[in-house]
Coordinates of all heavy atoms in Angstrom, one line a residue:
R1 N 7.2 -2.1 -5.1 CA 7.3 -1.3 -3.8 C 6.0 -1.1 -3.0 O 6.0 -1.3 -1.8 CB 7.8 0.1 -4.1 CG 8.0 1.0 -2.9 CD 9.0 0.4 -1.8 NE 9.2 1.4 -0.7 CZ 9.7 1.0 0.5 NH1 9.9 -0.2 0.7 NH2 9.9 1.9 1.4
T2 N 4.9 -0.9 -3.8 CA 3.6 -0.8 -3.1 C 3.3 -2.1 -2.6 O 2.8 -2.1 -1.4 CB 2.5 -0.4 -4.1 OG1 2.9 0.9 -4.7 CG2 1.2 -0.2 -3.4
R3 N 3.4 -3.2 -3.2 CA 3.1 -4.6 -2.6 C 4.1 -4.8 -1.4 O 3.6 -5.4 -0.4 CB 3.4 -5.6 -3.7 CG 2.3 -5.7 -4.7 CD 2.6 -6.8 -5.8 NE 1.4 -7.0 -6.7 CZ 1.6 -7.4 -7.9 NH1 2.8 -7.8 -8.3 NH2 0.6 -7.6 -8.7
E4 N 5.3 -4.4 -1.5 CA 6.2 -4.6 -0.4 C 5.7 -3.9 0.9 O 5.7 -4.5 2.0 CB 7.6 -4.2 -0.7 CG 8.6 -4.2 0.5 CD 10.0 -3.6 0.1 OE1 10.1 -2.9 -1.0 OE2 10.9 -3.7 0.9
L5 N 5.3 -2.6 0.7 CA 4.8 -1.8 1.8 C 3.6 -2.4 2.4 O 3.4 -2.3 3.7 CB 4.6 -0.4 1.5 CG 6.0 0.4 1.2 CD1 5.7 1.8 0.5 CD2 6.8 0.6 2.5
L6 N 2.6 -2.8 1.5 CA 1.4 -3.4 2.1 C 1.5 -4.7 2.7 O 0.8 -5.2 3.6 CB 0.4 -3.5 1.0 CG -0.1 -2.2 0.2 CD1 -1.0 -2.5 -0.9 CD2 -0.8 -1.3 1.2
S7 N 2.7 -5.5 2.4 CA 2.9 -6.8 2.9 C 3.8 -6.9 4.1 O 3.8 -7.9 4.8 CB 3.4 -7.7 1.8 OG 2.6 -7.7 0.6
T8 N 4.4 -5.8 4.4 CA 5.5 -5.9 5.5 C 4.9 -5.4 6.8 O 4.4 -4.2 6.9 CB 6.7 -5.0 5.1 OG1 7.2 -5.5 3.9 CG2 7.7 -5.2 6.3
P9 N 4.7 -6.2 7.9 CA 4.1 -5.7 9.1 C 5.0 -4.6 9.8 O 6.2 -4.7 9.7 CB 4.2 -7.0 10.0 CG 4.3 -8.1 9.0 CD 5.1 -7.6 7.9
P10 N 4.3 -3.6 10.3 CA 4.9 -2.6 11.1 C 5.6 -3.2 12.3 O 5.3 -4.3 12.7 CB 3.8 -1.5 11.3 CG 2.7 -2.0 10.6 CD 2.8 -3.4 10.3
Q11 N 6.4 -2.3 12.9 CA 6.9 -2.6 14.2 C 5.8 -2.8 15.2 O 4.6 -2.3 15.0 CB 7.9 -1.6 14.8 CG 9.1 -1.4 13.9 CD 10.1 -2.5 13.9 OE1 10.3 -3.1 15.1 NE2 10.6 -2.9 12.8
A12 N 6.0 -3.6 16.2 CA 5.0 -4.0 17.2 C 4.2 -2.6 17.7 O 5.0 -1.7 18.1 CB 5.6 -4.8 18.3
G13 N 3.0 -2.6 17.6 CA 2.2 -1.6 18.2 C 2.1 -0.4 17.3 O 1.5 0.7 17.7
E14 N 2.7 -0.5 16.0 CA 2.7 0.7 15.1 C 1.8 0.4 14.0 O 1.5 -0.6 13.5 CB 4.2 0.9 14.7 CG 5.1 1.3 15.8 CD 6.5 1.7 15.3 OE1 6.6 1.7 14.0 OE2 7.4 2.0 16.1
N15 N 1.4 1.6 13.4 CA 0.6 1.6 12.1 C 1.4 2.5 11.1 O 1.9 3.5 11.5 CB -0.8 2.1 12.3 CG -1.7 1.3 13.2 OD1 -1.7 0.1 13.0 ND2 -2.4 1.9 14.1
Y16 N 1.4 2.1 9.8 CA 2.0 2.9 8.8 C 1.0 3.4 7.8 O 0.0 2.8 7.6 CB 3.0 2.1 8.0 CG 4.2 1.6 8.8 CD1 5.1 0.6 8.4 CD2 4.5 2.2 10.1 CE1 6.2 0.2 9.1 CE2 5.6 1.8 10.9 CZ 6.4 0.7 10.4 OH 7.5 0.2 11.1
L17 N 1.3 4.5 7.3 CA 0.3 5.2 6.4 C 1.0 5.4 4.9 O 2.2 6.0 5.0 CB -0.2 6.5 6.8 CG -1.1 7.4 6.0 CD1 -2.4 6.7 5.6 CD2 -1.3 8.7 6.5
L18 N 0.5 5.0 3.9 CA 1.0 5.4 2.6 C 0.0 6.3 2.0 O -1.2 6.2 2.0 CB 1.0 4.1 1.6 CG 1.5 2.8 2.2 CD1 1.6 1.7 1.1 CD2 2.9 2.9 2.8
V19 N 0.5 7.4 1.4 CA -0.3 8.4 0.6 C 0.1 8.4 -0.7 O 1.3 8.9 -1.1 CB -0.2 9.8 1.3 CG1 -1.1 10.8 0.6 CG2 -0.5 9.8 2.7
A20 N -0.7 7.9 -1.7 CA -0.4 7.8 -3.0 C -1.6 7.9 -4.0 O -2.5 8.7 -3.7 CB 0.3 6.4 -3.2
H21 N -1.6 7.1 -5.0 CA -2.6 7.4 -6.2 C -3.5 6.1 -6.4 O -3.0 5.0 -6.3 CB -1.7 7.8 -7.3 CG -0.8 8.9 -7.1 ND1 -1.2 10.2 -7.1 CD2 0.6 8.9 -6.8 CE1 -0.1 11.0 -6.8 NE2 0.9 10.1 -6.5
G22 N -4.6 6.4 -6.9 CA -5.5 5.4 -7.3 C -5.1 4.3 -8.3 O -5.2 3.2 -8.1
P23 N -4.5 4.8 -9.4 CA -4.0 3.8 -10.3 C -2.9 2.8 -9.9 O -2.8 1.7 -10.3 CB -3.4 4.7 -11.5 CG -4.2 5.9 -11.4 CD -4.4 6.2 -9.9
N24 N -2.1 3.3 -8.8 CA -1.2 2.4 -8.2 C -1.9 1.2 -7.5 O -1.3 0.1 -7.7 CB -0.4 3.1 -7.2 CG 0.3 4.3 -7.7 OD1 -0.1 4.8 -8.7 ND2 1.4 4.7 -7.2
L25 N -3.0 1.4 -6.9 CA -3.7 0.3 -6.3 C -4.4 -0.6 -7.3 O -4.5 -1.8 -7.1 CB -4.8 0.9 -5.2 CG -5.0 -0.1 -4.0 CD1 -3.6 -0.4 -3.3 CD2 -5.9 0.6 -3.1
V26 N -4.8 0.1 -8.4 CA -5.4 -0.8 -9.5 C -4.4 -1.8 -10.0 O -4.7 -3.0 -10.1 CB -5.8 0.1 -10.7 CG1 -6.1 -0.8 -12.0 CG2 -6.9 1.1 -10.5
E27 N -3.1 -1.5 -10.1 CA -2.0 -2.3 -10.6 C -1.8 -3.4 -9.5 O -1.4 -4.6 -9.9 CB -0.7 -1.6 -10.8 CG -0.8 -0.5 -11.9 CD -1.0 -1.1 -13.3 OE1 -0.6 -2.3 -13.4 OE2 -1.3 -0.4 -14.2
V28 N -2.0 -3.1 -8.2 CA -1.8 -4.1 -7.2 C -3.0 -5.1 -7.0 O -2.7 -6.3 -6.8 CB -1.4 -3.4 -5.9 CG1 -1.3 -4.4 -4.7 CG2 -0.1 -2.7 -6.1
M29 N -4.2 -4.6 -7.0 CA -5.3 -5.3 -6.7 C -6.6 -5.1 -7.4 O -7.7 -5.4 -6.9 CB -5.6 -5.3 -5.1 CG -5.7 -3.8 -4.7 SD -6.1 -3.7 -2.8 CE -7.6 -4.6 -2.6
D30 N -6.4 -4.4 -8.5 CA -7.6 -4.1 -9.4 C -8.7 -3.4 -8.7 O -9.9 -3.6 -8.9 CB -8.1 -5.5 -10.0 CG -9.0 -5.2 -11.3 OD1 -8.8 -4.2 -11.9 OD2 -9.9 -6.0 -11.5
Y31 N -8.2 -2.4 -7.9 CA -9.2 -1.6 -7.1 C -8.8 -0.1 -7.3 O -7.7 0.3 -7.0 CB -9.1 -1.9 -5.6 CG -9.8 -1.1 -4.7 CD1 -11.1 -0.3 -5.1 CD2 -9.5 -0.9 -3.4 CE1 -11.7 0.5 -4.2 CE2 -10.2 -0.1 -2.5 CZ -11.3 0.6 -2.9 OH -12.0 1.3 -2.0
F32 N -9.8 0.7 -7.8 CA -9.5 2.1 -8.0 C -10.3 2.9 -7.0 O -11.5 3.2 -7.2 CB -10.0 2.5 -9.4 CG -9.6 3.9 -9.9 CD1 -8.2 4.2 -10.1 CD2 -10.5 4.9 -9.9 CE1 -7.8 5.5 -10.4 CE2 -10.1 6.2 -10.3 CZ -8.8 6.5 -10.6
P33 N -9.7 3.3 -6.0 CA -10.4 4.0 -4.8 C -10.6 5.4 -5.3 O -10.0 6.0 -6.1 CB -9.4 3.9 -3.6 CG -8.1 3.8 -4.3 CD -8.2 3.2 -5.5

């Protein structure tokens, strides 16, 4: 789901925000913010 949300372009002229957790991003791209 995280990969899907990061990979899907928003509607024209829009920006989307995900509020979640550091370990989730580690699983997606090996980055712990």
Side-chain angles (χ1 to χ4, degrees):
R1 178 57 172 161
T2 304
R3 284 178 174 156
E4 177 188 9
L5 289 170
L6 294 178
S7 303
T8 305
Q11 296 293 319
E14 297 187 1
N15 293 315
Y16 296 167
L17 174 67
L18 316 182
V19 182
H21 310 275
N24 300 29
L25 212 54
V26 171
E27 297 289 343
V28 172
M29 57 184 294
D30 198 28
Y31 172 29
F32 190 73

